[in-house]
Amino acid sequence: MKLQKSAVVMMSDFGIDSGLVACMHGMCKMVDQSLETYDITHLIPAFDIQAASYCLQYTVPYWPVGTVFVSVVDPGVGTSRRASVAKLKNGSYVVTPDNGTLSYLHTMIGVVEIREIDEEVNRYQETKNVHTFHGRDLFAYCAAKLAAGVITYEEVGKKYPIEEMVLHEIKCAEVSEKYVKAVIQSYDPFGSAELSVLNSEFQKTGFAIGDKLKIKITTEDTVVFEEMVSYEKSFGYVAKGENVIFQDLDSYVTIACNECMFAKKYHLDPEKTYTVEIFEA
């Protein structure tokens, strides 16, 4: 007897200028034409496992329990890296290469069980001699079978210890009363600087909405930014072109410039490491 169906939600670094993504959707429909399939994004920077992991942590919590996510940023495709399905504490599943993609999810939500996909039964066999498109032939296919109730989670493959998962370092912040020391960990599409301090941690500092905070940004002992910045609910609370710090949708505190690219304005280089200190005015 088939189980209740779930949606399949996909993400990759494949881009949108080819048929690769359509092949993944098509594979799901071949398993079950009634499956609902959706996309997070397919514009993750090529080979950027960290970016994929970061994106998942703020996307997964806003889908129903039981949703099956497919994340394919897989520089090691076709090699001995494990192809896995992780079960999260919130009841969702993530089908992905075990290459660090699960790092943020394990920290923010928690992986309660992980299984290696049995390629003898949960891989599309018509393309068994193709080893460079596991997104279609392995991950989408297995995800579709799981979401459609063709297989149970236990039938995905053999369970292995969570301690064996490949996890990348998650950058943290130093937080105390009226002080934060963090790093810029990424930039959003609007050039805003996303810090390594969680919204929940920032609330412990005692800073209040409307405060003016002193923010200092350095790299290699060079100060690249040192100004007073308003702490507000959103960028619209400051004038156009003015800087603002706020708790962002991606779980982390962010520094932005209203209707202006903060990173571009201050010539921040994504290849460099920036330390950010936040003080009471």
Side-chain angles (χ1 to χ4, degrees):
M1 182 177 179
K2 289 187 177 182
L3 305 177
Q4 184 176 358
K5 296 177 184 178
S6 301
V8 177
V9 184
M10 305 183 210
M11 179 178 75
S12 75
D13 59 352
F14 294 165
I16 54 175
D17 56 352
S18 73
L20 297 178
V21 175
C23 288
M24 293 172 67
H25 282 274
M27 180 61 76
C28 291
K29 295 293 186 179
M30 287 174 65
V31 172
D32 187 328
Q33 290 191 36
S34 67
L35 269 183
E36 295 181 347
T37 60
Y38 303 91
D39 297 305
I40 302 173
T41 179
H42 295 284
L43 298 176
I44 295 293
F47 319 121
D48 195 337
I49 296 167
Q50 177 83 3
S53 181
Y54 188 75
C55 183
L56 283 172
Q57 61 86 17
Y58 67 82
T59 304
V60 168
Y62 301 99
W63 282 82
V65 171
T67 300
V68 179
F69 295 88
V70 177
S71 178
V72 190
V73 178
D74 193 13
V77 63
T79 67
S80 60
R81 63 90 185 92
R82 279 168 163 155
S84 67
V85 183
K87 183 178 181 180
L88 306 182
K89 284 184 180 179
N90 70 351
S92 297
Y93 301 92
V94 184
V95 186
T96 184
D98 183 0
N99 59 7
T101 297
L102 295 166
S103 298
Y104 273 97
L105 285 175
H106 187 50
T107 298
M108 306 288 280
I109 297 176
V111 174
V112 295
E113 191 173 322
I114 189 163
R115 292 178 177 271
E116 185 170 8
I117 298 172
D118 183 347
E119 296 192 33
E120 294 299 318
V121 293
N122 293 319
R123 186 210 197 279
Y124 186 62
Q125 294 299 310
E126 295 300 315
T127 57
K128 63 182 179 181
N129 293 322
V130 176
H131 303 286
T132 56
F133 198 2
H134 280 179
R136 175 193 65 192
D137 301 329
L138 185 57
F139 298 119
Y141 183 70
C142 182
K145 290 180 70 174
L146 180 61
V150 175
I151 60 172
T152 64
Y153 178 61
E154 289 70 26
E155 292 173 316
V156 163
K158 186 177 179 181
K159 180 169 68 172
Y160 62 94
I162 291 174
E163 293 75 20
E164 293 182 10
M165 284 194 311
V166 176
L167 297 176
H168 294 169
E169 179 185 4
I170 303 299
K171 297 173 182 176
C172 299
E174 178 185 336
V175 178
S176 58
E177 183 72 18
K178 305 294 185 180
Y179 178 76
V180 172
K181 185 177 183 180
V183 296
I184 296 175
Q185 62 180 349
S186 63
Y187 301 91
D188 73 11
F190 302 98
S192 305
E194 299 167 330
L195 309 185
S196 62
V197 56
L198 288 161
N199 292 338
S200 56
E201 293 178 325
F202 198 72
Q203 294 173 20
K204 300 174 184 178
T205 61
F207 295 137
I209 296 293
D211 284 352
K212 286 280 191 178
L213 307 181
K214 182 180 179 181
I215 297 180
K216 181 180 179 181
I217 302 176
T218 59
T219 182
E220 299 173 351
D221 297 323
T222 300
V223 177
V224 297
F225 178 92
E226 189 168 15
E227 295 183 15
M228 302 300 297
V229 176
S230 295
Y231 173 33
E232 299 289 355
K233 295 179 181 178
S234 178
F235 23 79
Y237 286 87
V238 299
K240 182 177 179 180
E242 186 177 333
N243 299 321
V244 62
I245 184 169
F246 55 89
Q247 296 184 41
D248 203 6
L249 61 87
D250 63 1
S251 312
Y252 289 88
V253 172
T254 294
I255 306 172
C257 181
N258 188 20
E259 296 188 45
C260 179
M261 304 281 281
F262 183 85
K264 184 176 181 180
K265 182 178 179 180
Y266 295 100
H267 309 289
L268 301 181
D269 183 348
E271 298 300 318
K272 290 185 177 181
T273 299
Y274 293 93
T275 299
V276 180
E277 291 183 279
I278 306 171
F279 311 85
E280 184 178 27

